Amino acid sequence: MKQLFKKRDEDYIYSDYYLKVKKLWSVKMSILTAGLSKKKQIALLFAFVVLSAGYLICNICRIAFAESQTAKYRPGVSKVLPINQKKK
């Protein structure tokens, strides 16, 4: 357990694939946002966060309400019978 909290001496080495994807993403985002002012970038970030949060909340609510509605119409649980007994 002590080793988990020990400070590492050597740096973590990332895989080449991760570094290539990271570089590609940073280049693409810098090209897309090159002509935008700081206010426009902040406005787009805010819009993205609000739309993403709304979408996720909508999905959570849809799943929660769907489960509560199906729970109302479930048939009763059948009686558990021992192995040797048969239904009458």
Side-chain angles (χ1 to χ4, degrees):
M1 190 70 171
K2 198 177 202 182
Q3 293 175 347
L4 292 175
F5 299 108
K6 226 186 211 182
K7 189 175 180 181
R8 294 184 182 192
D9 294 333
E10 67 272 348
D11 293 335
Y12 182 77
I13 300 171
Y14 294 102
S15 68
D16 291 335
Y17 180 74
Y18 172 77
L19 293 174
K20 286 178 185 176
V21 169
K22 184 177 172 183
K23 174 118 175 114
L24 178 71
W25 181 260
S26 65
V27 168
K28 186 174 182 176
M29 286 298 115
S30 63
I31 290 170
L32 287 174
T33 59
L36 298 176
S37 67
K38 188 174 182 179
K39 287 184 180 181
K40 287 183 182 178
Q41 287 180 355
I42 292 173
L44 286 173
L45 176 65
F46 182 73
F48 173 76
V49 169
V50 168
L51 289 174
S52 299
Y55 177 72
L56 293 174
I57 290 170
C58 180
N59 282 340
I60 290 170
C61 291
R62 188 180 65 208
I63 290 170
F65 289 128
E67 286 180 1
S68 66
Q69 289 177 358
T70 56
K72 292 178 187 176
Y73 300 111
R74 285 191 182 159
V77 177
S78 63
K79 186 177 177 183
V80 177
L81 300 173
I83 296 173
N84 296 335
Q85 247 183 0
K86 295 183 179 179
K87 281 187 175 180
K88 291 182 180 181

